[in-house]
Amino acid sequence: MNDSPEIITTVRDLRARVSGWRRAGETVGMVPTMGFLHDGHMSLVRNSRAQNNRTVVSIFVNPKQFDRASDLEAYPRDMDRDAALLAAGGVDAIWSPEPEEMYPPGFATSVDVSGLTDCLCGATRSGHFAGVAVVVTKLLLQCLPDRAYFGRKDYQQLMVVRRMVADLNIPVEIRGIDTVRESDGLAMSSRNWHLTEAERAVAPQLFGVLTDIAEVAGRGEDVRPTIDKGLKRLERAGFGAVDYLEVRDAENLELSHRPKRPARAFAAIYLGKARLIDNVPVDTPT
Ligand code: AMP
């Protein structure tokens, strides 16, 4: 049985703990999360543990990145369960500030990453990436780890964070980690918890559709007819509103119907109450 990680709730205590490690010559990895952890999060933790002496996991449901109060309210939380998982995973500290510690009265600063945030989730969730950018900037500066770990499941977020860290000279190395899936292909997500049994049974079709689209793109063919077929298949399966289903360049995120450079197939679509997002890489012809 591993020792429980210390739960730290103030910036002051976090800084004291991390500087103690640094003085001892230890390296630090950070895994930012919103909690309600699953094996996707734990894969980031395993990477951090393998590559650093110490690992800090932040658990903070960031009010600024939710575009609807009801979505923030419904976001699942379970600190006891998360702490037990992180203890078993060998994490050293949990950084879990209250919203008032993160955003004290008078907080007035924003971080705006232009371009990359115009499409995909940025086009449909207003203010989302502004919220992500400010909280990730703060998390990285509060902890100042050597490396921070982000999932490719939120690929656009990873690209936005990389851009921002480079532009602002934040001295942290950003590492992207592949998506962890259930055995039937569904990308693990805290939001899957909202799915009914019937919805859970059809949910993996999203990965199936993305895989078909990526395969066609990989053969150098126009993806649009396959996207249309995919949309019909998802509708028949009971999926709801589609925010996007498209292929984009893996670096600049520009639309790409017949990609010649590394690309990815991206989707965001509702299934019942849950908004599922996923993406898969295209193996472009060399
Ligand atoms: P979240 O708690 O959903 O904000 O996610 C925290 C971090 O875990 C983000 O960097 C996500 O991209 C990553 N993540 C979420 N789900 C997965 C997954 N299925 N596989 C790998 N990483 C994930």
Side-chain angles (χ1 to χ4, degrees):
M1 181 70 201
N2 289 286
D3 287 346
S4 287
E6 180 186 8
I7 299 182
I8 300 175
T9 58
T10 66
V11 175
R12 195 192 150 104
D13 288 350
L14 178 68
R15 291 240 163 96
R17 179 63 66 245
V18 173
S19 41
W21 292 335
R22 287 208 175 290
R23 273 197 304 276
E26 294 181 312
T27 57
V28 181
M30 179 180 215
V31 179
T33 82
M34 297 205 299
F36 213 71
L37 305 176
H38 50 66
D39 201 51
H41 299 112
M42 296 314 289
S43 165
L44 308 192
V45 168
R46 286 191 289 275
N47 276 274
S48 174
R49 289 251 300 144
Q51 296 161 16
N52 303 277
N53 301 115
R54 300 285 184 173
T55 292
V56 177
V57 173
S58 63
I59 296 183
F60 181 65
V61 182
N62 177 31
K64 283 192 189 288
Q65 72 189 68
F66 286 81
D67 48 349
R68 287 175 298 135
S70 57
D71 194 23
L72 171 63
E73 187 95 335
Y75 200 83
R77 295 162 166 91
D78 190 340
M79 189 49 141
D80 291 345
R81 181 176 159 276
D82 288 347
L85 277 171
L86 295 176
V91 161
D92 297 278
I94 300 174
W95 168 222
S96 177
E98 291 295 326
E100 300 72 40
E101 177 76 3
M102 190 61 89
Y103 303 117
F107 186 88
T109 299
S110 51
V111 180
D112 174 29
V113 182
S114 60
L116 288 172
T117 57
D118 292 341
C119 62
L120 299 171
C121 288
T124 48
R125 298 185 69 194
S126 97
H128 172 67
F129 283 114
V132 168
V134 77
V135 83
V136 173
T137 302
K138 283 180 65 84
L139 289 167
L140 296 180
L141 294 176
Q142 288 160 345
C143 180
L144 277 180
D146 296 274
R147 302 179 187 88
Y149 295 80
F150 292 84
R152 295 199 174 96
K153 154 96 174 9
D154 300 281
Y155 189 83
Q156 185 179 19
Q157 169 174 284
L158 171 63
M159 301 311 278
V160 168
V161 168
R162 280 195 196 287
R163 179 79 263 156
M164 181 186 90
V165 162
D167 289 353
L168 298 179
N169 304 107
I170 299 176
V172 177
E173 186 192 329
I174 303 302
R175 298 224 163 150
I177 304 298
D178 277 343
T179 302
V180 177
R181 299 179 179 281
E182 305 284 357
S183 56
D184 57 12
L186 177 66
M188 290 189 183
S189 165
S190 311
R191 291 172 187 270
N192 295 347
W193 180 82
H194 290 299
L195 298 172
T196 63
E197 211 174 304
E199 288 160 359
R200 174 63 189 82
V202 298
Q205 294 201 35
L206 181 58
F207 177 58
V209 164
L210 283 171
T211 307
D212 289 349
I213 294 168
E215 227 171 73
V216 168
R219 289 201 297 267
E221 294 169 23
D222 189 326
V223 293
R224 281 169 290 191
T226 313
I227 289 179
D228 288 341
K229 253 188 4 214
L231 287 170
K232 290 197 185 93
R233 175 174 163 197
L234 293 173
E235 194 186 339
R236 274 198 309 275
F239 282 76
V242 180
D243 278 352
Y244 53 80
L245 178 63
E246 49 201 27
V247 173
R248 288 183 175 264
D249 187 276
E251 255 170 58
N252 58 31
L253 300 185
E254 278 169 16
L255 260 185
S256 180
H257 300 309
R258 204 191 278 266
K260 304 242 164 5
R261 294 162 20 97
R264 297 182 85 90
F266 293 91
I269 178 161
Y270 283 85
L271 181 55
K273 287 205 187 82
R275 179 178 180 276
L276 303 184
I277 71 167
D278 199 356
N279 68 90
V280 303
V282 172
D283 285 327
T284 33
T286 42

